[in-house]
Amino acid sequence: DTGVSQNPRHKITKRGQNVTFRCDPISEHNRLYWYRQTLGQGPEFLTYFQNEAQLEKSRLLSDRFSAERPKGSFSTLEIQRTEQGDSAMYLCASSSSSGDYEQYFGPGTRLTVT
Amino acid sequence: AQSVTQPDIHITVSEGASLELRCNYSYGATPYLFWYVQSPGQGLQLLLKYFSGDTLVQGIKGFEAEFKRSQSSFNLRKPSVHWSDAAEYFCAVSSGGSYIPTFGRGTSLIVHP
């Protein structure tokens, strides 16, 4: 078990560009979550999947944000037309859908929009 | 809606001293409560959780927390702090149905030698 991995770890982009982040969950976990964390704040929930189904997406910050998990394994989070306010750490977590649903977090992708 | 308040942005303690980090929550029903730790460059790691039962819960790395329903609190404690405990600590609450935690803003722990 290698834990949750996220790529890239850092991304610098210019305002208006699109960016995509990838999350690989723990292999036996069927739930996958995305969070955003800004400086001095705790993680803020964005969306989550159970297998390939996106069960909650109302908390995505705007229609520029979208996420996919096409085969129920890895997931991608895309931000279109980035804005400076999108600069943050984007965290991914995974869990099983039984037991205590404990979430295991990845190291995050730090996005800087210039 | 559920919410979490961590009133202390920074806490400074000397190595070997005891520690208590405060957490107050707002939630109508019985909450699920968590404490996570985040070190620079690392993902959040779960220290301990409370779902039901004994209100004093033991976690990893020598931490414990006590659920006090009357005070809507879930404070984190450690009897003797080590320099490696310096990190950001987050309290979180979730409902039983979603298991999706709402996090507090965190408390930064600074440990002096």
Side-chain angles (χ1 to χ4, degrees), chain A residues 52-106:
Chain A
E52 64 274 13
Q54 192 173 11
L55 298 186
E56 172 60 69
K57 57 181 179 180
S58 65
R59 309 268 283 277
L60 284 168
L61 300 165
S62 78
D63 59 7
R64 297 184 297 105
F65 287 70
S66 63
E68 293 184 342
R69 194 183 185 199
K71 297 183 179 179
S73 57
F74 73 91
S75 174
T76 57
L77 177 70
E78 181 182 17
I79 308 174
Q80 296 182 328
R81 305 181 303 280
T82 53
E83 302 173 356
Q84 287 189 321
D86 297 331
S87 296
M89 178 77 84
Y90 290 85
L91 300 171
C92 175
S94 69
S95 76
S96 72
S97 58
S98 61
D100 63 12
Y101 293 73
E102 178 178 340
Q103 295 188 21
Y104 293 79
F105 283 81

Tab-separated table of all heavy atoms in Angstrom, chain A residues 52-106:
chain	number	residue	atom	x	y	z
A	52	GLU	N	-17.249	5.167	-9.637
A	52	GLU	CA	-17.168	6.209	-10.660
A	52	GLU	C	-18.265	7.252	-10.537
A	52	GLU	O	-18.277	8.244	-11.278
A	52	GLU	CB	-17.202	5.578	-12.058
A	52	GLU	CG	-18.483	4.847	-12.406
A	52	GLU	CD	-18.483	3.399	-11.936
A	52	GLU	OE1	-17.604	3.037	-11.123
A	52	GLU	OE2	-19.368	2.648	-12.373
A	53	ALA	N	-19.181	7.069	-9.597
A	53	ALA	CA	-20.303	7.996	-9.454
A	53	ALA	C	-19.924	9.185	-8.572
A	53	ALA	O	-19.437	9.017	-7.449
A	53	ALA	CB	-21.494	7.256	-8.836
A	54	GLN	N	-20.193	10.373	-9.101
A	54	GLN	CA	-19.959	11.596	-8.340
A	54	GLN	C	-21.204	11.887	-7.507
A	54	GLN	O	-22.240	12.285	-8.048
A	54	GLN	CB	-19.644	12.755	-9.290
A	54	GLN	CG	-19.116	13.988	-8.588
A	54	GLN	CD	-18.641	15.054	-9.580
A	54	GLN	OE1	-18.879	14.966	-10.778
A	54	GLN	NE2	-17.960	16.064	-9.088
A	55	LEU	N	-21.095	11.669	-6.197
A	55	LEU	CA	-22.277	11.714	-5.349
A	55	LEU	C	-22.577	13.097	-4.785
A	55	LEU	O	-23.679	13.321	-4.274
A	55	LEU	CB	-22.136	10.710	-4.205
A	55	LEU	CG	-22.021	9.241	-4.629
A	55	LEU	CD1	-22.045	8.333	-3.410
A	55	LEU	CD2	-23.127	8.862	-5.604
A	56	GLU	N	-21.609	13.981	-4.824
A	56	GLU	CA	-21.835	15.316	-4.290
A	56	GLU	C	-20.953	16.274	-5.066
A	56	GLU	O	-19.736	16.126	-5.075
A	56	GLU	CB	-21.485	15.368	-2.798
A	56	GLU	CG	-21.512	16.753	-2.185
A	56	GLU	CD	-22.872	17.410	-2.275
A	56	GLU	OE1	-23.803	16.948	-1.598
A	56	GLU	OE2	-22.995	18.401	-3.030
A	57	LYS	N	-21.574	17.224	-5.732
A	57	LYS	CA	-20.758	18.203	-6.450
A	57	LYS	C	-21.273	19.618	-6.282
A	57	LYS	O	-20.772	20.536	-6.925
A	57	LYS	CB	-20.641	17.851	-7.925
A	57	LYS	CG	-21.953	17.717	-8.666
A	57	LYS	CD	-21.670	17.327	-10.122
A	57	LYS	CE	-22.949	17.163	-10.912
A	57	LYS	NZ	-22.688	16.792	-12.323
A	58	SER	N	-22.240	19.780	-5.403
A	58	SER	CA	-22.789	21.121	-5.211
A	58	SER	C	-21.799	22.055	-4.522
A	58	SER	O	-21.977	23.278	-4.558
A	58	SER	CB	-24.079	21.036	-4.389
A	58	SER	OG	-23.812	20.574	-3.074
A	59	ARG	N	-20.783	21.482	-3.904
A	59	ARG	CA	-19.828	22.318	-3.180
A	59	ARG	C	-18.634	22.728	-4.046
A	59	ARG	O	-17.728	23.404	-3.562
A	59	ARG	CB	-19.338	21.576	-1.941
A	59	ARG	CG	-20.481	21.028	-1.102
A	59	ARG	CD	-20.909	21.974	-0.046
A	59	ARG	NE	-19.984	21.975	1.057
A	59	ARG	CZ	-19.993	21.092	2.055
A	59	ARG	NH1	-20.905	20.130	2.082
A	59	ARG	NH2	-19.111	21.177	3.022
A	60	LEU	N	-18.612	22.293	-5.290
A	60	LEU	CA	-17.585	22.797	-6.203
A	60	LEU	C	-17.739	24.313	-6.295
A	60	LEU	O	-18.850	24.841	-6.328
A	60	LEU	CB	-17.715	22.147	-7.576
A	60	LEU	CG	-17.212	20.703	-7.654
A	60	LEU	CD1	-17.651	20.049	-8.952
A	60	LEU	CD2	-15.706	20.636	-7.507
A	61	LEU	N	-16.626	24.995	-6.364
A	61	LEU	CA	-16.612	26.435	-6.126
A	61	LEU	C	-17.261	27.256	-7.227
A	61	LEU	O	-17.750	28.359	-6.987
A	61	LEU	CB	-15.165	26.876	-5.902
A	61	LEU	CG	-14.533	26.168	-4.693
A	61	LEU	CD1	-13.031	26.320	-4.717
A	61	LEU	CD2	-15.113	26.723	-3.401
A	62	SER	N	-17.209	26.753	-8.428
A	62	SER	CA	-17.867	27.420	-9.553
A	62	SER	C	-17.944	26.427	-10.690
A	62	SER	O	-17.414	25.311	-10.594
A	62	SER	CB	-17.083	28.665	-9.978
A	62	SER	OG	-15.947	28.297	-10.741
A	63	ASP	N	-18.598	26.835	-11.778
A	63	ASP	CA	-18.681	25.913	-12.923
A	63	ASP	C	-17.354	25.792	-13.655
A	63	ASP	O	-17.247	25.044	-14.618
A	63	ASP	CB	-19.818	26.325	-13.872
A	63	ASP	CG	-19.652	27.734	-14.410
A	63	ASP	OD1	-18.600	28.348	-14.170
A	63	ASP	OD2	-20.597	28.220	-15.053
A	64	ARG	N	-16.341	26.513	-13.220
A	64	ARG	CA	-15.017	26.324	-13.812
A	64	ARG	C	-14.331	25.075	-13.251
A	64	ARG	O	-13.329	24.628	-13.781
A	64	ARG	CB	-14.137	27.552	-13.529
A	64	ARG	CG	-14.645	28.839	-14.141
A	64	ARG	CD	-13.681	30.010	-13.901
A	64	ARG	NE	-13.531	30.325	-12.479
A	64	ARG	CZ	-12.465	30.008	-11.746
A	64	ARG	NH1	-11.440	29.381	-12.293
A	64	ARG	NH2	-12.416	30.349	-10.476
A	65	PHE	N	-14.865	24.566	-12.153
A	65	PHE	CA	-14.289	23.386	-11.506
A	65	PHE	C	-15.070	22.142	-11.927
A	65	PHE	O	-16.306	22.137	-11.888
A	65	PHE	CB	-14.364	23.513	-9.984
A	65	PHE	CG	-13.401	24.498	-9.389
A	65	PHE	CD1	-13.568	25.859	-9.581
A	65	PHE	CD2	-12.321	24.068	-8.636
A	65	PHE	CE1	-12.672	26.776	-9.033
A	65	PHE	CE2	-11.426	24.971	-8.073
A	65	PHE	CZ	-11.605	26.321	-8.275
A	66	SER	N	-14.349	21.090	-12.273
A	66	SER	CA	-15.002	19.826	-12.577
A	66	SER	C	-14.084	18.696	-12.169
A	66	SER	O	-12.865	18.854	-12.105
A	66	SER	CB	-15.359	19.727	-14.062
A	66	SER	OG	-14.184	19.750	-14.845
A	67	ALA	N	-14.676	17.567	-11.881
A	67	ALA	CA	-13.902	16.398	-11.487
A	67	ALA	C	-14.469	15.169	-12.168
A	67	ALA	O	-15.661	15.102	-12.461
A	67	ALA	CB	-13.919	16.222	-9.968
A	68	GLU	N	-13.576	14.207	-12.393
A	68	GLU	CA	-13.978	12.948	-13.017
A	68	GLU	C	-13.288	11.795	-12.328
A	68	GLU	O	-12.196	11.940	-11.774
A	68	GLU	CB	-13.587	12.938	-14.505
A	68	GLU	CG	-14.324	13.914	-15.370
A	68	GLU	CD	-13.942	13.771	-16.840
A	68	GLU	OE1	-12.881	13.176	-17.134
A	68	GLU	OE2	-14.695	14.270	-17.691
A	69	ARG	N	-13.915	10.651	-12.430
A	69	ARG	CA	-13.302	9.410	-11.978
A	69	ARG	C	-13.842	8.310	-12.883
A	69	ARG	O	-14.668	7.493	-12.484
A	69	ARG	CB	-13.638	9.129	-10.512
A	69	ARG	CG	-12.769	8.062	-9.885
A	69	ARG	CD	-13.177	7.761	-8.461
A	69	ARG	NE	-12.260	6.814	-7.853
A	69	ARG	CZ	-12.559	6.096	-6.768
A	69	ARG	NH1	-13.729	6.233	-6.168
A	69	ARG	NH2	-11.672	5.265	-6.269
A	70	PRO	N	-13.389	8.299	-14.116
A	70	PRO	CA	-14.051	7.508	-15.167
A	70	PRO	C	-14.091	6.003	-14.939
A	70	PRO	O	-15.041	5.354	-15.336
A	70	PRO	CB	-13.242	7.864	-16.421
A	70	PRO	CG	-11.950	8.394	-15.924
A	70	PRO	CD	-12.228	9.034	-14.616
A	71	LYS	N	-13.114	5.442	-14.319
A	71	LYS	CA	-13.103	3.990	-14.145
A	71	LYS	C	-13.122	3.595	-12.674
A	71	LYS	O	-12.823	2.466	-12.323
A	71	LYS	CB	-11.888	3.381	-14.846
A	71	LYS	CG	-11.892	3.593	-16.354
A	71	LYS	CD	-10.717	2.906	-17.025
A	71	LYS	CE	-10.766	3.127	-18.538
A	71	LYS	NZ	-9.619	2.485	-19.228
A	72	GLY	N	-13.450	4.554	-11.848
A	72	GLY	CA	-13.533	4.251	-10.426
A	72	GLY	C	-12.187	4.053	-9.768
A	72	GLY	O	-12.128	3.552	-8.647
A	73	SER	N	-11.122	4.457	-10.453
A	73	SER	CA	-9.798	4.330	-9.812
A	73	SER	C	-9.254	5.740	-9.575
A	73	SER	O	-9.676	6.392	-8.635
A	73	SER	CB	-8.864	3.490	-10.670
A	73	SER	OG	-8.742	4.043	-11.972
A	74	PHE	N	-8.373	6.222	-10.454
A	74	PHE	CA	-7.831	7.565	-10.250
A	74	PHE	C	-8.891	8.604	-10.586
A	74	PHE	O	-9.910	8.326	-11.237
A	74	PHE	CB	-6.564	7.768	-11.084
A	74	PHE	CG	-6.826	7.928	-12.558
A	74	PHE	CD1	-7.020	9.189	-13.115
A	74	PHE	CD2	-6.878	6.821	-13.396
A	74	PHE	CE1	-7.272	9.339	-14.470
A	74	PHE	CE2	-7.121	6.958	-14.752
A	74	PHE	CZ	-7.332	8.218	-15.291
A	75	SER	N	-8.635	9.835	-10.130
A	75	SER	CA	-9.553	10.938	-10.394
A	75	SER	C	-8.751	12.142	-10.869
A	75	SER	O	-7.559	12.270	-10.570
A	75	SER	CB	-10.323	11.312	-9.129
A	75	SER	OG	-11.121	12.469	-9.320
A	76	THR	N	-9.409	12.998	-11.627
A	76	THR	CA	-8.813	14.266	-12.023
A	76	THR	C	-9.716	15.410	-11.602
A	76	THR	O	-10.948	15.289	-11.608
A	76	THR	CB	-8.587	14.332	-13.543
A	76	THR	OG1	-9.827	14.119	-14.215
A	76	THR	CG2	-7.570	13.293	-13.984
A	77	LEU	N	-9.090	16.503	-11.230
A	77	LEU	CA	-9.786	17.749	-10.923
A	77	LEU	C	-9.282	18.789	-11.912
A	77	LEU	O	-8.079	19.008	-12.014
A	77	LEU	CB	-9.486	18.197	-9.488
A	77	LEU	CG	-10.108	19.532	-9.051
A	77	LEU	CD1	-11.618	19.413	-8.917
A	77	LEU	CD2	-9.493	20.009	-7.731
A	78	GLU	N	-10.198	19.394	-12.649
A	78	GLU	CA	-9.825	20.393	-13.630
A	78	GLU	C	-10.370	21.746	-13.223
A	78	GLU	O	-11.513	21.860	-12.767
A	78	GLU	CB	-10.349	20.031	-15.030
A	78	GLU	CG	-9.945	21.057	-16.090
A	78	GLU	CD	-10.485	20.737	-17.480
A	78	GLU	OE1	-11.425	19.931	-17.608
A	78	GLU	OE2	-9.948	21.326	-18.447
A	79	ILE	N	-9.547	22.748	-13.399
A	79	ILE	CA	-9.980	24.135	-13.205
A	79	ILE	C	-9.775	24.843	-14.550
A	79	ILE	O	-8.654	24.891	-15.061
A	79	ILE	CB	-9.185	24.859	-12.114
A	79	ILE	CG1	-9.167	24.052	-10.809
A	79	ILE	CG2	-9.792	26.246	-11.865
A	79	ILE	CD1	-8.270	24.645	-9.729
A	80	GLN	N	-10.839	25.352	-15.093
A	80	GLN	CA	-10.752	26.084	-16.355
A	80	GLN	C	-10.622	27.582	-16.081
A	80	GLN	O	-11.120	28.089	-15.075
A	80	GLN	CB	-11.994	25.807	-17.201
A	80	GLN	CG	-12.132	24.345	-17.620
A	80	GLN	CD	-13.346	24.121	-18.504
A	80	GLN	OE1	-14.364	24.792	-18.375
A	80	GLN	NE2	-13.234	23.171	-19.419
A	81	ARG	N	-9.935	28.253	-16.977
A	81	ARG	CA	-9.822	29.716	-16.925
A	81	ARG	C	-9.420	30.160	-15.513
A	81	ARG	O	-10.127	30.902	-14.844
A	81	ARG	CB	-11.136	30.376	-17.340
A	81	ARG	CG	-11.632	29.917	-18.705
A	81	ARG	CD	-12.941	30.611	-19.103
A	81	ARG	NE	-14.006	30.404	-18.138
A	81	ARG	CZ	-14.750	29.322	-18.054
A	81	ARG	NH1	-14.520	28.291	-18.861
A	81	ARG	NH2	-15.721	29.244	-17.165
A	82	THR	N	-8.281	29.688	-15.076
A	82	THR	CA	-7.870	29.934	-13.693
A	82	THR	C	-7.816	31.415	-13.358
A	82	THR	O	-7.530	32.267	-14.212
A	82	THR	CB	-6.493	29.313	-13.413
A	82	THR	OG1	-5.554	29.767	-14.405
A	82	THR	CG2	-6.558	27.798	-13.415
A	83	GLU	N	-8.082	31.689	-12.095
A	83	GLU	CA	-8.033	33.041	-11.551
A	83	GLU	C	-7.053	33.040	-10.381
A	83	GLU	O	-6.753	31.984	-9.802
A	83	GLU	CB	-9.422	33.457	-11.058
A	83	GLU	CG	-10.484	33.412	-12.131
A	83	GLU	CD	-11.883	33.652	-11.579
A	83	GLU	OE1	-12.033	33.789	-10.352
A	83	GLU	OE2	-12.830	33.701	-12.406
A	84	GLN	N	-6.571	34.215	-10.021
A	84	GLN	CA	-5.603	34.285	-8.932
A	84	GLN	C	-6.187	33.739	-7.633
A	84	GLN	O	-5.477	33.145	-6.812
A	84	GLN	CB	-5.113	35.723	-8.752
A	84	GLN	CG	-4.162	36.151	-9.862
A	84	GLN	CD	-3.508	37.491	-9.592
A	84	GLN	OE1	-4.138	38.398	-9.086
A	84	GLN	NE2	-2.236	37.596	-9.958
A	85	GLY	N	-7.465	33.876	-7.448
A	85	GLY	CA	-8.114	33.361	-6.252
A	85	GLY	C	-8.163	31.852	-6.179
A	85	GLY	O	-8.518	31.297	-5.134
A	86	ASP	N	-7.809	31.184	-7.266
A	86	ASP	CA	-7.765	29.724	-7.252
A	86	ASP	C	-6.472	29.211	-6.631
A	86	ASP	O	-6.343	28.003	-6.373
A	86	ASP	CB	-7.883	29.166	-8.678
A	86	ASP	CG	-9.206	29.505	-9.339
A	86	ASP	OD1	-10.213	29.665	-8.614
A	86	ASP	OD2	-9.234	29.620	-10.586
A	87	SER	N	-5.514	30.077	-6.402
A	87	SER	CA	-4.250	29.666	-5.785
A	87	SER	C	-4.526	29.065	-4.415
A	87	SER	O	-5.139	29.708	-3.550
A	87	SER	CB	-3.309	30.864	-5.647
A	87	SER	OG	-2.948	31.361	-6.905
A	88	ALA	N	-4.113	27.833	-4.231
A	88	ALA	CA	-4.425	27.089	-3.000
A	88	ALA	C	-3.738	25.739	-3.075
A	88	ALA	O	-3.125	25.382	-4.081
A	88	ALA	CB	-5.932	26.886	-2.848
A	89	MET	N	-3.903	24.968	-2.005
A	89	MET	CA	-3.502	23.570	-1.999
A	89	MET	C	-4.752	22.743	-2.264
A	89	MET	O	-5.787	22.945	-1.623
A	89	MET	CB	-2.911	23.188	-0.638
A	89	MET	CG	-2.506	21.736	-0.537
A	89	MET	SD	-0.957	21.423	-1.383
A	89	MET	CE	0.196	21.906	-0.098
A	90	TYR	N	-4.652	21.820	-3.201
A	90	TYR	CA	-5.775	20.940	-3.515
A	90	TYR	C	-5.440	19.540	-3.003
A	90	TYR	O	-4.449	18.940	-3.401
A	90	TYR	CB	-6.056	20.960	-5.016
A	90	TYR	CG	-6.628	22.302	-5.433
A	90	TYR	CD1	-5.781	23.366	-5.737
A	90	TYR	CD2	-8.001	22.528	-5.451
A	90	TYR	CE1	-6.290	24.619	-6.059
A	90	TYR	CE2	-8.525	23.777	-5.778
A	90	TYR	CZ	-7.658	24.811	-6.070
A	90	TYR	OH	-8.169	26.055	-6.379
A	91	LEU	N	-6.273	19.076	-2.096
A	91	LEU	CA	-6.039	17.808	-1.420
A	91	LEU	C	-7.003	16.750	-1.914
A	91	LEU	O	-8.168	17.027	-2.197
A	91	LEU	CB	-6.236	17.978	0.087
A	91	LEU	CG	-5.336	18.978	0.805
A	91	LEU	CD1	-5.804	19.179	2.240
A	91	LEU	CD2	-3.908	18.506	0.779
A	92	CYS	N	-6.498	15.558	-1.975
A	92	CYS	CA	-7.304	14.402	-2.315
A	92	CYS	C	-7.258	13.426	-1.143
A	92	CYS	O	-6.235	13.317	-0.447
A	92	CYS	CB	-6.756	13.742	-3.580
A	92	CYS	SG	-7.557	12.207	-4.050
A	93	ALA	N	-8.341	12.719	-0.916
A	93	ALA	CA	-8.388	11.703	0.130
A	93	ALA	C	-9.180	10.514	-0.389
A	93	ALA	O	-9.995	10.649	-1.310
A	93	ALA	CB	-9.028	12.255	1.404
A	94	SER	N	-8.947	9.356	0.201
A	94	SER	CA	-9.742	8.188	-0.162
A	94	SER	C	-10.146	7.433	1.092
A	94	SER	O	-9.526	7.578	2.155
A	94	SER	CB	-8.989	7.276	-1.129
A	94	SER	OG	-7.885	6.641	-0.505
A	95	SER	N	-11.202	6.658	0.951
A	95	SER	CA	-11.680	5.846	2.065
A	95	SER	C	-12.454	4.663	1.507
A	95	SER	O	-12.811	4.620	0.324
A	95	SER	CB	-12.584	6.666	2.998
A	95	SER	OG	-13.871	6.840	2.434
A	96	SER	N	-12.729	3.723	2.363
A	96	SER	CA	-13.661	2.668	1.993
A	96	SER	C	-15.075	3.181	2.264
A	96	SER	O	-15.255	4.240	2.884
A	96	SER	CB	-13.387	1.404	2.791
A	96	SER	OG	-13.791	1.598	4.127
A	97	SER	N	-16.065	2.459	1.789
A	97	SER	CA	-17.454	2.844	2.071
A	97	SER	C	-18.070	1.890	3.082
A	97	SER	O	-19.277	1.670	3.096
A	97	SER	CB	-18.281	2.860	0.785
A	97	SER	OG	-18.244	1.593	0.162
A	98	SER	N	-17.244	1.332	3.932
A	98	SER	CA	-17.724	0.498	5.022
A	98	SER	C	-16.863	0.796	6.237
A	98	SER	O	-15.849	1.482	6.141
A	98	SER	CB	-17.647	-0.985	4.647
A	98	SER	OG	-16.316	-1.346	4.379
A	99	GLY	N	-17.300	0.290	7.361
A	99	GLY	CA	-16.523	0.566	8.564
A	99	GLY	C	-16.654	2.003	8.982
A	99	GLY	O	-17.749	2.565	8.987
A	100	ASP	N	-15.560	2.641	9.324
A	100	ASP	CA	-15.623	4.002	9.852
A	100	ASP	C	-15.314	5.072	8.817
A	100	ASP	O	-15.237	6.246	9.162
A	100	ASP	CB	-14.702	4.156	11.055
A	100	ASP	CG	-13.240	3.945	10.695
A	100	ASP	OD1	-12.911	3.900	9.497
A	100	ASP	OD2	-12.425	3.800	11.627
A	101	TYR	N	-15.178	4.689	7.560
A	101	TYR	CA	-14.979	5.651	6.479
A	101	TYR	C	-13.768	6.546	6.722
A	101	TYR	O	-13.734	7.682	6.256
A	101	TYR	CB	-16.215	6.541	6.297
A	101	TYR	CG	-17.440	5.832	5.796
A	101	TYR	CD1	-18.159	4.981	6.614
A	101	TYR	CD2	-17.910	6.044	4.510
A	101	TYR	CE1	-19.297	4.331	6.156
A	101	TYR	CE2	-19.053	5.422	4.044
A	101	TYR	CZ	-19.738	4.559	4.880
A	101	TYR	OH	-20.875	3.931	4.431
A	102	GLU	N	-12.760	6.086	7.418
A	102	GLU	CA	-11.608	6.931	7.694
A	102	GLU	C	-10.968	7.383	6.398
A	102	GLU	O	-10.699	6.582	5.505
A	102	GLU	CB	-10.577	6.195	8.538
A	102	GLU	CG	-9.317	7.031	8.814
A	102	GLU	CD	-8.318	6.321	9.696
A	102	GLU	OE1	-8.714	5.374	10.391
A	102	GLU	OE2	-7.133	6.726	9.663
A	103	GLN	N	-10.714	8.675	6.288
A	103	GLN	CA	-10.126	9.233	5.077
A	103	GLN	C	-8.616	9.306	5.201
A	103	GLN	O	-8.084	9.752	6.219
A	103	GLN	CB	-10.692	10.633	4.812
A	103	GLN	CG	-12.180	10.614	4.508
A	103	GLN	CD	-12.690	11.969	4.068
A	103	GLN	OE1	-11.941	12.826	3.613
A	103	GLN	NE2	-13.987	12.166	4.194
A	104	TYR	N	-7.940	8.878	4.158
A	104	TYR	CA	-6.494	8.951	4.069
A	104	TYR	C	-6.161	10.016	3.020
A	104	TYR	O	-6.628	9.934	1.872
A	104	TYR	CB	-5.904	7.600	3.671
A	104	TYR	CG	-6.081	6.544	4.735
A	104	TYR	CD1	-7.306	5.897	4.888
A	104	TYR	CD2	-5.049	6.213	5.596
A	104	TYR	CE1	-7.486	4.934	5.865
A	104	TYR	CE2	-5.214	5.237	6.576
A	104	TYR	CZ	-6.436	4.608	6.705
A	104	TYR	OH	-6.618	3.652	7.681
A	105	PHE	N	-5.352	10.986	3.419
A	105	PHE	CA	-5.077	12.133	2.566
A	105	PHE	C	-3.767	11.984	1.811
A	105	PHE	O	-2.779	11.430	2.328
A	105	PHE	CB	-5.016	13.413	3.404
A	105	PHE	CG	-6.358	13.938	3.799
A	105	PHE	CD1	-7.039	13.404	4.880
A	105	PHE	CD2	-6.955	14.970	3.086
A	105	PHE	CE1	-8.295	13.888	5.246
A	105	PHE	CE2	-8.201	15.456	3.446
A	105	PHE	CZ	-8.869	14.921	4.523
A	106	GLY	N	-3.750	12.525	0.617
A	106	GLY	CA	-2.530	12.664	-0.140
A	106	GLY	C	-1.783	13.919	0.273
A	106	GLY	O	-2.285	14.715	1.068
